[in-house]
């Protein structure tokens, strides 16, 4: 922690990140504030850097996010507006999270029900959300392109994960105007593979024919059981590790 002083007056203490630019940014922001200059993210990054931050950054823009947090904390101590910095932070987080998820989904989606994809209209999603909780990528890479209706999405989660992550899942779904209960959501009981068993049971009860079936789970046995149960005229897609 280092002290924040303006014109020799102590205003508080702040944590200084351990990166190349943090110290320079700290003094630059303090000086701008003391000189009654306009505050803003231009004190952190030049226009070229701001443009670069609108696209994916290797390493998730770790040091840049640290320095934005430093600026926001200084804003709290010195009582200046940091709305633009918060918006920039959210934009960086969204861009980098989407790019990472996009890479994973597109590279790992695999057809396992045959050698060739059949051109089918209807699609269903069976989703173990505790295994695949990258909600933005599931929507952008599967739900929206295949026009999967809410009623054709089956989610399951075991109780421990539901207790720990429900607020996070609901917050991410909120961006799409959804909640867990927008879909066929199953709150499972305690027990081994309960979520997986119920997803398979849902599939069997529906007796689906001629459809794209997307199965999101890490469980190898469940993938095999779905493959055994799949209609020969359907496409079954899984996620590879």
């Amino acid at each position: 922690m280092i002290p924040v002083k303006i014109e020799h007056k102590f205003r508080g203490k702040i944590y200084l990140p351990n990166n190349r630019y943090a110290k320079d940014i700290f003094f630059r922001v303090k000086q701008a504030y003391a000189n009654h200059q306009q505050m803003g993210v231009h004190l952190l990054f030049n226009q070229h850097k701001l443009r670069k931050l609108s696209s994916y950054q290797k390493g998730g823009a770790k040091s840049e996010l640290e320095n934005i947090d430093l600026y926001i904390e200084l804003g709290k101590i010195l009582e200046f507006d940091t709305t633009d910095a918060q918006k920039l932070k959210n934009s960086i987080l969204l861009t980098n999270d989407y790019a990472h998820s996009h890479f994973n989904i597109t590279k790992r989606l695999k057809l396992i029900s045959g050698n060739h994809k059949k051109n089918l209209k209807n699609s269903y999603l069976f989703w173990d959300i505790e295994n695949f909780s990258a909600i933005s990528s599931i929507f952008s890479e599967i739900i929206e392109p295949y026009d999967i209706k809410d009623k054709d999405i089956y989610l399951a989660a075991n109780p421990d994960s539901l207790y720990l992550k429900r607020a996070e899942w609901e917050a991410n779904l909120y961006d799409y105007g959804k909640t867990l209960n927008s879909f066929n959501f199953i709150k499972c009981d305690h027990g081994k593979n309960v979520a997986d068993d119920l997803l398979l049971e849902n599939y069997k009860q529906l007796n689906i024919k001629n459809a794209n079936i997307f199965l999101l789970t890490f469980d190898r046995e469940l993938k095999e059981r779905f493959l055994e149960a799949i209609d020969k005229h359907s496409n079954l897609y899984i996620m590879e590790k």
Side-chain angles (χ1 to χ4, degrees):
M1 300 290 285
I2 61 172
V4 180
K5 294 182 179 179
I6 302 295
E7 298 176 346
H8 306 292
K9 182 179 179 181
F10 177 77
R11 303 291 293 270
K13 289 186 176 181
I14 198 167
Y15 169 77
L16 193 65
N18 183 24
N19 67 60
R20 180 179 176 184
Y21 299 107
K23 185 177 290 186
D24 286 344
I25 288 173
F26 173 73
F27 288 109
R28 191 184 312 143
V29 171
K30 276 207 320 168
Q31 190 64 43
Y33 178 83
N35 292 338
H36 306 288
Q37 296 174 5
Q38 181 182 359
M39 309 303 289
V41 293
H42 64 279
L43 296 171
L44 311 181
F45 312 112
N46 59 32
Q47 288 300 314
H48 175 69
K49 182 64 174 180
L50 286 171
R51 283 193 295 271
K52 285 186 66 175
L53 288 172
S54 65
S55 59
Y56 173 70
Q57 300 293 300
K58 186 177 180 180
K62 179 177 181 293
S63 62
E64 289 85 352
L65 288 168
E66 288 177 344
N67 292 333
I68 292 172
D69 282 338
L70 169 63
Y71 177 81
I72 291 171
E73 288 303 309
L74 280 169
K76 291 177 183 177
I77 292 172
L78 299 176
E79 299 181 346
F80 61 80
D81 182 52
T82 59
T83 301
D84 62 338
Q86 189 62 61
K87 288 181 178 178
L88 177 61
K89 177 181 177 179
N90 292 340
S91 174
I92 293 170
L93 289 171
L94 180 62
T95 299
N96 284 275
D97 178 64
Y98 175 78
H100 176 71
S101 302
H102 181 275
F103 173 82
N104 285 339
I105 295 294
T106 55
K107 295 294 185 182
R108 293 160 65 185
L109 194 63
K110 179 183 179 182
L111 175 71
I112 64 166
S113 58
N115 295 324
H116 302 287
K117 180 176 71 173
K118 305 170 187 71
N119 187 20
L120 302 172
K121 182 178 180 181
N122 296 324
S123 299
Y124 294 78
L125 174 61
F126 295 85
W127 183 0
D128 183 348
I129 193 170
E130 62 187 307
N131 283 173
F132 287 93
S133 57
I135 287 170
S136 64
S137 58
I138 303 301
F139 269 85
S140 61
E141 298 301 313
I142 297 178
I143 294 174
E144 292 173 349
Y146 285 87
D147 192 26
I148 307 179
K149 305 295 188 290
D150 291 356
K151 66 181 180 62
D152 296 328
I153 297 174
Y154 293 79
L155 277 74
N158 285 315
D160 292 338
S161 295
L162 183 62
Y163 175 77
L164 293 172
K165 298 182 180 179
R166 180 164 192 149
E168 176 187 340
W169 294 337
E170 294 278 17
N172 291 332
L173 285 168
Y174 180 79
D175 292 337
Y176 299 89
K178 311 289 184 184
T179 69
L180 290 173
N181 293 325
S182 299
F183 316 105
N184 298 290
F185 176 64
I186 310 161
K187 179 182 178 181
C188 303
D189 296 323
H190 284 277
K192 186 178 184 296
N193 297 328
V194 171
D196 294 334
D197 287 339
L198 288 176
L199 285 175
L200 181 62
E201 187 61 31
N202 281 154
Y203 173 74
K204 289 180 176 179
Q205 289 178 1
L206 289 166
N207 193 29
I208 300 168
K209 308 290 185 184
N210 304 313
N212 298 304
I213 307 298
F214 294 90
L215 174 62
L216 301 184
T217 180
F218 284 135
D219 188 88
R220 185 179 65 182
E221 181 183 350
L222 182 64
K223 294 174 185 178
E224 293 172 353
R225 292 164 70 191
F226 256 81
L227 185 57
E228 290 175 358
I230 195 79
D231 164 52
K232 67 179 181 179
H233 299 297
S234 293
N235 295 318
L236 176 60
Y237 295 91
I238 62 166
M239 298 298 296
E240 290 188 312
K241 287 189 177 181

